[in-house]
Amino acid sequence: MARALKDTIPVRPGEELDIQAVERFLRERIEDLPHAPLEVEQFPSGHSNLTYLLRCGEWEAVLRRPPFGQVAPKAHDMERESRILSLVHNVFPLAPKPYVFCDDVSVLGAPFYVMERRKGIVLDSKWPQGVDNSPETCRRVSELVVDTLVELHSIDWKASGLASIGKPDGFMQRQVEGWVGRYERSKTDDIPVVETTARWMMDNIPASPQATIVHNDFKLNNMIFSADGLSKVVAVLDWEMTTIGDPLSDVAIAVSYWDEPGDADSLRSGFTSVTSTPGFITRHEFIEMYAAKSGRDIASMDFYLTYAYFKVAVICQQIYFRWKKGLTQDPRFERLGKVTESLMHHAYRIATQGF
C-alpha cells in the first residue's frame, strides 16, 4: 500500500514554471529524453526553496529553484547546492546525483538545477496513510536517523575534494554572528530575549571537536525512507547550507525539529513532526545515541541547542519578513511571526536554565 503513496501536489498558484522553457532547456542538455510532453508537479514540503517533479514519459527528475520574490543575500544559492551535491554524491550515495545546473535567468527568472528523483516515504508533520507506525517501526526510524548522521560525519572530507566548501576554523563564531545578523536584517517585531540570548551565545562558544562535513539542515523530513516498511534510508535532501564545520551543530539542529509528546503547546506551534508518535526516541536519547555511536563529547550541548533553536527561529523570521512585506502570498507563512517568538523564548530558556 505504501508504494502507491503520492508525494506531489498540483503546482501552487503563483509558483508555476514556464514548462515550455524548461522542456527546451532539458532537450538541449539531456540525451535520450523521451518524446513525450513534459509534466510538472510540486513537492509540498519545505518552506524555503521550491521543489518540482518533472515527468516526461517514464523519465522523472527533480527541479530546485529559489522562492519567488526578493530573497536574502547569499541565500538559496542553487549553483552551490548543485556543486556540493556533485561532490558529496561520490562519497555519500544518499545524496541525489545532480544532472544539470542553469544560471541563465532568462529561462525561469532565477538559477535552478535538476537532479535525480529518489522515490520513497517522507515523514513530515503527519503520518502517511497506510504506512506502519508501530513503536517498533518508530524506534527503527529513530536509529536510522542517528546512524545516517553518524555516517555523514565519518566522511573523510579532505580526501574527498570537499575542503573547498567550508572553513572549519572559527565555524561556530561565524555561525552565531551570521544568524544574529540575519535576524537583525529581517526583524519586524520586538522580542526582548533575543539580545540576551545572542550575547550569551557569543560569550559561551565552546571549542569545537574535529571538523566534519556538516549538512546544516539535517532533520527527519529532509530524508526519504524506503516504501517497504521504512526499513532503510534512500536519500538525504536539501544540501543548500552544507559546509565543513562543527558536527554537533548538526546534532542540535536535528534535535530542535524532534517533537516529543509532552512538549508545551508554544513549542509545538513550530514545525511539528511525527516524532511525537509512541516509539520514537526522546531528544535526550537522540543526543546520547549519537554520542555513543560517534564517540564525540556532548558536554556543551546546552550551547549547541540554544544556537539551533535560535537559528530555526531566524529562518522562520526571514520567511515571515517576506510574507509581511508582501513578497510571497503563501498563507502558511502568516503564523511564522508567533513561531519565531516561541522559538526565541525556548532558546533563551535553554541558555539560562539548561536543556
Side-chain angles (χ1 to χ4, degrees):
M1 183 181 297
R3 292 180 184 279
L5 285 175
K6 184 175 176 60
D7 55 359
T8 56
I9 60 173
V11 177
R12 285 189 287 260
E15 297 180 350
E16 298 89 348
L17 300 180
D18 184 337
I19 296 179
Q20 292 181 334
V22 174
E23 185 168 357
R24 282 196 301 272
F25 175 83
L26 293 176
R27 293 199 181 283
E28 291 172 357
R29 291 162 179 81
I30 296 181
E31 296 181 358
D32 302 325
L33 196 66
H35 294 288
L38 181 68
E39 302 172 26
V40 179
E41 297 178 351
Q42 189 168 14
F43 292 96
S45 300
H47 294 71
S48 182
N49 294 317
L50 304 177
T51 309
Y52 302 86
L53 170 64
L54 307 179
R55 182 184 298 114
C56 189
E58 296 297 319
W59 180 89
E60 290 187 340
V62 174
L63 184 150
R64 292 259 291 171
R65 60 150 293 157
F68 290 86
Q70 182 180 351
V71 298
K74 297 184 180 180
H76 314 287
D77 188 339
M78 295 294 98
E79 187 279 331
R80 184 174 189 276
E81 183 169 332
S82 176
R83 177 165 49 86
I84 287 174
L85 274 178
S86 67
L87 294 170
V88 175
H89 174 76
N90 294 328
V91 291
F92 188 73
L94 293 178
K97 181 180 180 179
Y99 292 152
V100 61
F101 166 72
C102 176
D103 61 355
D104 182 356
V105 297
S106 69
V107 179
L108 284 184
F112 68 92
Y113 75 92
V114 177
M115 62 181 171
E116 70 170 308
R117 152 89 143 139
R118 296 282 179 93
K119 293 184 178 181
I121 308 288
V122 175
L123 299 175
D124 199 6
S125 59
K126 296 180 180 178
W127 199 268
Q129 186 175 9
V131 177
D132 171 42
N133 65 349
S134 65
E136 293 77 18
T137 297
C138 294
R139 174 78 187 191
R140 181 172 65 250
V141 169
S142 301
E143 294 177 353
L144 286 171
V145 173
V146 176
D147 288 347
T148 303
L149 187 56
V150 172
E151 181 185 352
L152 175 65
H153 290 166
S154 70
I155 292 173
D156 185 345
W157 52 272
K158 292 180 180 177
S160 307
L162 289 160
S164 63
I165 69 171
K167 299 176 182 177
D169 292 342
F171 173 79
M172 284 313 309
Q173 181 166 348
R174 289 197 306 277
Q175 289 292 304
V176 171
E177 292 174 346
W179 287 105
V180 170
R182 292 181 190 98
Y183 175 77
E184 292 298 329
R185 291 191 291 275
S186 60
K187 182 177 178 180
T188 53
D189 304 287
D190 184 40
I191 306 176
V193 298
V194 170
E195 183 177 349
T196 304
T197 307
R199 187 166 56 248
W200 183 89
M201 288 193 294
M202 287 303 301
D203 291 342
N204 290 276
I205 297 175
S208 290
Q210 188 172 8
T212 70
I213 186 170
V214 173
H215 182 280
N216 242 345
D217 197 20
F218 190 91
K219 55 184 179 178
L220 182 63
N221 68 354
N222 269 339
M223 305 173 72
I224 300 178
F225 294 86
S226 61
D228 59 346
L230 310 176
S231 64
K232 62 182 180 180
V233 180
V234 298
V236 176
L237 309 174
D238 206 351
W239 297 81
E240 175 190 0
M241 295 188 285
T242 299
T243 186
I244 305 298
D246 189 326
L248 297 182
S249 65
D250 256 354
V251 180
I253 288 295
V255 167
S256 71
Y257 286 103
W258 198 270
D259 282 357
E260 291 181 6
D263 285 344
D265 289 343
S266 58
L267 182 60
R268 291 177 62 81
S269 65
F271 299 107
T272 56
S273 168
V274 296
T275 53
S276 59
T277 307
F280 274 97
I281 60 176
T282 66
R283 288 189 285 266
H284 280 283
E285 288 173 324
F286 188 114
I287 294 169
E288 290 164 0
M289 187 181 292
Y290 175 86
K293 291 175 179 286
S294 70
R296 294 189 174 90
D297 184 357
I298 55 171
S300 299
M301 284 308 295
D302 283 350
F303 166 82
Y304 291 101
L305 288 165
T306 300
Y307 157 77
Y309 282 101
F310 188 96
K311 173 180 173 178
V312 176
V314 177
I315 292 172
C316 293
Q317 178 62 30
Q318 289 178 309
I319 299 170
Y320 180 67
F321 175 85
R322 293 180 57 246
W323 178 86
K324 195 164 185 176
K325 296 294 183 182
L327 300 174
T328 174
Q329 308 300 318
D330 192 326
R332 297 177 301 162
F333 300 159
E334 181 178 5
R335 67 186 181 93
L336 293 185
K338 293 294 184 185
V339 174
T340 298
E341 184 174 0
S342 171
L343 291 170
M344 284 297 187
H345 279 277
H346 193 67
Y348 173 78
R349 280 194 292 274
I350 296 175
T352 55
Q353 302 173 24
F355 177 50

